[in-house]
Amino acid sequence: MDPFNEEGIKMYFFENRLKTFDGWPFDKDCACTPENMARAGFVHTPSDNSPDVATCFFCLKELEGWEPEDDPEKEHKSHSPSCHFIALKKRVEELTTEEFLKLQKEKEKFLVTKTGKEAIALFERAAKQKREEILRMAMGEE
């Protein structure tokens, strides 16, 4: 896990987030235009059955089921109130090096937390499966 990899750092910049919204289902006359989505920190992360999935590059909050009138900034703040990126009071380009490093540290905390939760969920599924196998063996049901 390299906290300063180029791919992760480039998403701090609006233009790079905006480029991800190719094929975004909402455009003109909507509150959730690609520009507003990117401004709110989102990148477009569609799946085969969900073309409107967007994920905050910073806090990793994933939202889908967007409606044309949804305000990306308000939605982001309501679903992820602890996101430091959406709470920024100035543009990334105006941050001091120290401010940027503190921000990046917070971003890494989100990543570690998400990775840890995924690992725990994987372990719990495997443990449940193993428990069922042991119970079947104990009852002679192989």
Side-chain angles (χ1 to χ4, degrees):
M1 202 173 346
D2 176 8
F4 301 107
N5 74 51
E6 187 178 331
E7 195 62 30
I9 299 295
K10 79 178 196 177
M11 286 304 154
Y12 273 97
F13 301 98
F14 169 80
E15 299 79 20
N16 294 322
R17 294 190 305 275
L18 183 60
K19 288 177 190 172
T20 69
F21 282 89
D22 186 40
W24 180 247
F26 302 98
D27 207 355
K28 296 173 179 69
D29 302 323
C30 293
C32 55
T33 62
E35 292 77 14
N36 289 342
M37 295 294 291
R39 209 170 281 114
F42 290 110
V43 293
H44 188 202
T45 53
S47 65
D48 289 339
N49 33 341
S50 294
D52 71 337
V53 180
T55 305
C56 173
F57 85 96
F58 189 90
C59 70
L60 308 174
K61 183 65 176 179
E62 188 177 275
L63 297 176
E64 63 181 309
W66 290 90
E67 299 291 334
E69 66 278 358
D70 288 341
D71 179 314
E73 188 174 332
K74 287 180 183 173
E75 292 296 325
H76 193 168
K77 286 179 181 177
S78 73
H79 290 278
S80 188
S82 60
C83 180
H84 296 266
F85 182 80
I86 198 67
L88 273 179
K89 302 292 183 221
K90 54 179 156 177
R91 295 176 45 227
V92 170
E93 294 85 354
E94 299 168 341
L95 295 172
T96 65
T97 302
E98 184 177 356
E99 290 169 329
F100 177 78
L101 292 174
K102 285 181 180 178
L103 192 62
Q104 185 63 8
K105 180 176 88 173
E106 295 303 320
K107 181 179 182 226
E108 286 298 306
K109 286 180 186 179
F110 281 110
L111 181 61
V112 167
T113 299
K114 182 179 181 180
T115 304
K117 286 179 180 178
E118 289 170 352
I120 290 168
L122 187 64
F123 173 83
E124 288 173 345
R125 284 193 300 274
K128 182 180 178 184
Q129 185 177 6
K130 185 56 76 179
R131 181 180 187 279
E132 290 168 359
E133 287 174 22
I134 292 169
L135 288 173
R136 279 195 303 275
M137 284 181 6
M139 299 194 143
E141 298 178 10
E142 283 197 61

